């Protein structure tokens, strides 16, 4: 699948403070990418059989639909203040949030979401829509969490899988747009099997394995440094949990990037264990890639 040259950055809004944070972030992303911004509110109430207009005797601008339209209007206005040079449109789309956003992802360059919405439960770290859309969207999904910062590197997790290669490419592109560096992280706990049926040694040379893991990371990064010679890169190989290392490093990053699934992901899971943990605990905004779509410049 390709991204049309005019494909928008899409941001989902629901009237919450987190959604307005996402709008501001999405406006800046659209400006960096020279793309339009599309603001979408998923209007679920028609599916619930609820009356949408004002009750008798109420002002004409009362009612659920009027309130939802204000969410979109306010978000469009906020985007315009954040990035006046970006063309911004807004739409109220009937449907539940996850299906609406997944449909939007088919023609979007990027989906931007707040980490929590109006319907979030106090005990949850992340909203259910953010989890489901991140796992199933047809374009990269950026979840705005932590304190957005203008400095710091773009952090990316690398595990040797095809999807982590795409995550590396996205990270280098973002770093180039932002005028910053990339920190590529590869964490390991034990020797990695090279193919189905491979037996792992019960005893192994830690130094030899560490050297091999450094080689794997260097090879993964090499092609992208050639494509983005303007982007400085630091390679970090750590012996430990990939999720823990990425969460720790995200504290000084302006963006963290991961693939939705790595080499060890189980087919039935929405997200791999690493991406799921980083989504919940990252200190920076997080981009999750499930599919890669090349720009169509023709």
């Amino acid at each position: 699948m390709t991204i049309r040259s005019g494909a928008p950055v899409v941001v989902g809004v629901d009237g919450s403070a987190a959604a307005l944070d996402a709008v501001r972030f999405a406006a800046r992303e659209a400006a960096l990418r020279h793309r339009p911004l599309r603001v979408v509110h998923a209007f679920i109430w028609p599916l619930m059989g609820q009356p949408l207009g004002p009750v008798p005797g109420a002002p004409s601008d009362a009612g659920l639909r009027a309130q939802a339209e204000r969410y979109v209007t306010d978000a469009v206005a906020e985007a315009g203040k954040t990035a006046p040079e970006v063309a911004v449109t807004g739409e109220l789309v009937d449907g539940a949030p996850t299906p609406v956003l997944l449909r939007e992802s088919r023609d979007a360059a990027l989906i931007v979401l707040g980490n929590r919405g109006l319907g979030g439960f106090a005990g949850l770290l992340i909203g259910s829509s953010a989890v489901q859309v991140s796992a199933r969207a047809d374009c990269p999904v950026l979840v705005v969490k932590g304190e957005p910062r203008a400095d710091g590197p773009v952090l990316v997790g690398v595990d040797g899988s095809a999807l982590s290669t795409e995550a590396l490419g996205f990270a280098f592109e973002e770093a180039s747009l932002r005028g910053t560096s990339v920190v590529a992280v590869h964490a390991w706990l034990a020797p990695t099997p090279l193919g189905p049926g491979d037996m792992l040694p019960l005893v192994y040379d830690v130094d030899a394995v560490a050297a091999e893991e450094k080689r794997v990371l260097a090879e993964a990064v090499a092609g992208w440094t050639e494509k983005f010679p303007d982007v400085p890169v630091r390679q970090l190989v750590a012996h430990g949990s990939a999720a823990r290392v990425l969460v720790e490093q995200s504290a000084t990053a302006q963006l963290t990037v991961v693939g939705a699934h790595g080499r060890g992901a189980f087919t039935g899971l929405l997200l791999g264990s690493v991406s799921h943990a980083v989504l919940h605990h990252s200190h920076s905004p997080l981009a999750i890639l499930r599919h890669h779509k090349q720009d169509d410049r023709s």
Side-chain angles (χ1 to χ4, degrees):
M1 184 181 291
T2 59
I3 296 178
R4 294 179 293 104
S5 58
V9 172
V10 174
V11 58
V13 299
D14 62 2
S16 66
L20 283 181
D21 288 341
V23 167
R24 289 185 282 268
F25 200 101
R28 290 190 287 268
E29 278 291 319
L32 285 174
R33 295 161 174 265
H34 304 289
R35 292 185 179 276
L37 177 64
R38 176 171 162 80
V39 176
V40 173
H41 174 73
F43 191 51
I44 194 171
W45 293 109
L47 306 182
M48 313 296 287
Q50 297 292 323
L52 307 181
V55 298
S60 60
D61 60 352
L64 293 174
R65 185 171 292 278
Q67 181 185 51
E69 289 171 348
R70 284 195 295 273
Y71 292 159
V72 174
T73 301
D74 291 347
V76 168
E78 189 65 29
K81 289 189 290 185
T82 302
E85 70 276 27
V86 172
V88 185
T89 58
E91 185 175 357
L92 198 64
V93 181
D94 288 353
T98 296
V100 166
L101 291 166
L102 291 177
R103 287 196 299 271
E104 292 287 332
S105 77
R106 298 170 189 167
D107 298 309
L110 180 71
I111 296 281
V112 180
L113 302 173
N115 65 328
R116 291 280 301 279
L118 288 174
F121 292 94
L124 296 180
L125 293 173
I126 204 82
S128 60
S129 290
V131 173
Q132 299 209 28
V133 175
S134 297
R136 297 161 57 193
D138 286 327
C139 70
V141 176
L142 201 158
V143 181
V144 180
K145 60 196 309 287
E147 288 293 331
R149 51 190 298 163
D151 62 345
V154 174
L155 175 71
V156 57
V158 182
D159 67 0
S161 67
L163 193 52
S164 81
T165 300
E166 306 297 354
L168 259 173
F170 184 88
F172 269 88
E173 179 184 7
E174 283 289 317
S176 181
L177 291 171
R178 295 161 181 259
T180 191
S181 61
V182 164
V183 174
V185 173
H186 176 63
W188 61 280
L189 290 169
T192 303
L194 299 177
D198 284 354
M199 297 294 291
L200 295 178
L202 296 178
V203 179
Y204 56 89
D205 185 328
V206 173
D207 291 338
V209 173
E212 175 62 17
E213 300 296 342
K214 288 181 181 178
R215 183 192 65 79
V216 169
L217 179 58
E219 289 184 355
V221 167
W224 294 110
T225 58
E226 293 175 5
K227 292 182 180 180
F228 294 91
D230 61 316
V231 177
V233 59
R234 179 167 72 93
Q235 300 179 38
L236 174 60
V237 176
H239 186 196
S241 159
R244 178 184 59 79
V245 174
L246 285 167
V247 168
E248 289 175 355
Q249 291 291 319
S250 73
T252 56
Q254 60 176 289
L255 178 68
T256 300
V257 182
V258 294
H261 288 282
R263 286 186 302 191
F266 292 96
T267 305
L269 297 178
L270 278 178
L271 290 172
S273 59
V274 172
S275 54
H276 191 272
V278 178
L279 174 60
H280 281 76
H281 299 290
S282 172
H283 302 292
S284 73
L286 175 69
I288 298 180
L289 277 76
R290 189 178 76 90
H291 284 309
H292 181 65
K293 301 191 289 188
Q294 297 287 345
D295 280 336
D296 182 1
R297 304 296 184 186
S298 60

